[in-house]
Amino acid sequence: MFRKKQGIREGSPLADAFIYIAAGLICLLTVYPMYYVLIRSVSSPEHALAGDMFLLPKGFDLTSYRIIFADATMWRAYGNTLLYVVCTTLLMLLFCTLCAYPLCIPTLRGKKILIPYLLIPMYFSGGLIPTFLVMNRLGLYNNIWAVILPGSLSIWNIILVRTYFSSIPETLRESAEIDGASHFTIMTRIYLPLAKPILAVVTIYTIVITWNSWFNALVYLPDTQLQPLQLYLRRVLVENTVDLTKLPMNEVAEAVRRALSGIQMKYAMIIFTTLPVLFAYPFFQKHFIKGMMVGSLKG
């Protein structure tokens, strides 16, 4: 008798088709809302208000984008946001690596006390009023550092980086110490080049959070010259709210036109403010997926 050769059993074509269909539907549900906002932002104000487009824009109109690009105040707010994002991200990476590297060394004294000490403020905070009083006493009120510094340190990101550092073989650090390398050299020459995936995760997290943040600026930055883009958008949308019942008859038509343009501009602003984050993600995608899997799961 001859035994049948054991081959690798391939998946069912029906199951593969079901997986592809499910993945396609998930992609469609994820992408279509943003696409709908895009076609609504380039449709005419009347159709943008009615929302009667589904696949293609109706009454192609780029007036809202022209208004946005011609607004000097918007560009100043845009520059402020870029400044806050760059400074906060660089400081976040610096603080995370400087805090995470010592915590991954087994011979660190007081290590068992430091880790619980770091975990406490991750779950409990002093609240808004004590934080505001501290910022005021430090002279940071109406100062850009009031927005940058609080977002430059995250206990969660420190734990992620520390977990990834702990997954690096200890023999690499010991070999470098035998060769006379200092801790700073070990961190910059060995750990940081190997930690690109988790640093990419921290970078994209910080960029997204800082780009979308507005509450700290609302509390600590009363000067409109220092406010970020998100507060500018909030201010514009509020100022575009018009009560037609309190206007003379000769101004009602103009107010209606401005209200319709405001509806279209709202969607144009969503697209305009989302594009930088969407363009930033592909640069970190390769390291981002690996960092999410390794830095979050390994202990």
Side-chain angles (χ1 to χ4, degrees):
M1 294 180 65
F2 295 97
R3 295 183 178 180
K4 294 182 179 180
K5 295 183 179 180
Q6 297 293 332
I8 298 176
R9 184 178 179 181
E10 297 182 357
S12 171
L14 182 61
D16 292 341
F18 175 77
I19 292 174
Y20 282 119
I21 293 174
L25 290 176
I26 293 174
C27 292
L28 180 63
L29 292 175
T30 304
V31 176
Y32 182 75
M34 181 59 65
Y35 175 73
Y36 179 74
V37 172
L38 175 62
I39 62 176
R40 200 164 178 177
S41 68
V42 297
S43 299
S44 63
E46 295 79 10
H47 290 289
L49 178 62
D52 55 353
M53 70 291 297
F54 297 99
L55 295 178
L56 296 174
K58 292 185 178 180
F60 190 77
D61 188 357
L62 297 177
T63 303
S64 295
Y65 287 97
R66 286 195 291 268
I67 294 174
I68 292 175
F69 281 111
D71 191 353
T73 305
M74 187 279 301
W75 285 111
R76 182 173 60 249
Y78 211 96
N80 291 337
T81 300
L82 290 177
L83 175 64
Y84 300 151
V85 168
V86 172
C87 293
T88 303
T89 303
L90 292 178
L91 290 176
M92 177 68 76
L93 294 175
L94 177 64
F95 293 153
C96 283
T97 53
L98 292 179
C99 294
Y101 175 76
L103 294 175
C104 72
I105 298 178
T107 57
L108 177 66
R109 295 182 180 180
K111 182 178 178 180
K112 294 182 179 180
I113 301 176
L114 284 175
I115 295 179
Y117 179 78
L118 290 175
L119 291 176
I120 292 175
M122 188 172 72
Y123 295 102
F124 305 98
S125 64
L128 177 60
I129 295 177
T131 305
F132 180 84
L133 294 176
V134 170
M135 289 291 183
N136 197 19
R137 284 292 185 90
L138 293 176
L140 297 179
Y141 184 71
N142 205 22
N143 190 303
I144 62 173
W145 293 105
V147 177
I148 296 174
L149 290 180
S152 300
L153 185 64
S154 171
I155 306 300
W156 172 251
N157 289 338
I158 291 175
I159 293 174
L160 283 181
V161 179
R162 180 253 178 188
T163 303
Y164 194 95
F165 281 176
S166 299
S167 66
I168 298 176
E170 187 68 20
T171 54
L172 292 177
R173 183 180 62 82
E174 294 175 352
S175 299
E177 288 181 348
I178 293 174
D179 292 336
S182 62
H183 284 293
F184 181 78
T185 303
I186 295 172
M187 182 182 68
T188 55
R189 298 291 183 87
I190 298 177
Y191 277 73
L192 290 184
L194 295 176
K196 289 180 180 179
I198 197 62
L199 295 180
V201 172
V202 173
T203 299
I204 196 67
Y205 278 174
T206 307
I207 289 175
V208 173
I209 292 174
T210 307
W211 186 269
N212 294 326
S213 64
W214 59 272
F215 185 73
N216 283 347
L218 178 65
V219 174
Y220 301 119
L221 297 179
D223 187 0
T224 56
Q225 302 290 328
L226 303 176
Q227 291 178 353
L229 182 62
Q230 302 301 330
L231 273 187
Y232 168 78
L233 299 182
R234 175 182 177 273
R235 191 167 65 249
V236 168
L237 294 178
V238 170
E239 291 176 355
N240 281 341
T241 302
V242 179
D243 188 359
L244 300 180
T245 61
K246 296 182 180 180
L247 294 177
M249 290 300 297
N250 58 349
E251 297 182 9
V252 171
E254 179 65 19
V256 170
R257 188 190 64 80
R258 293 179 59 186
L260 292 176
S261 299
I263 297 295
Q264 184 192 28
M265 186 177 296
K266 178 175 65 175
Y267 295 100
M269 287 180 175
I270 293 174
I271 296 297
F272 187 70
T273 56
T274 307
L275 288 179
V277 178
L278 295 179
F279 286 141
Y281 178 76
F283 294 99
F284 302 96
Q285 182 179 7
K286 180 178 70 174
H287 300 296
F288 182 78
I289 298 174
K290 183 179 178 181
M292 283 292 295
M293 297 299 295
V294 178
S296 300
L297 300 179
K298 279 193 174 182

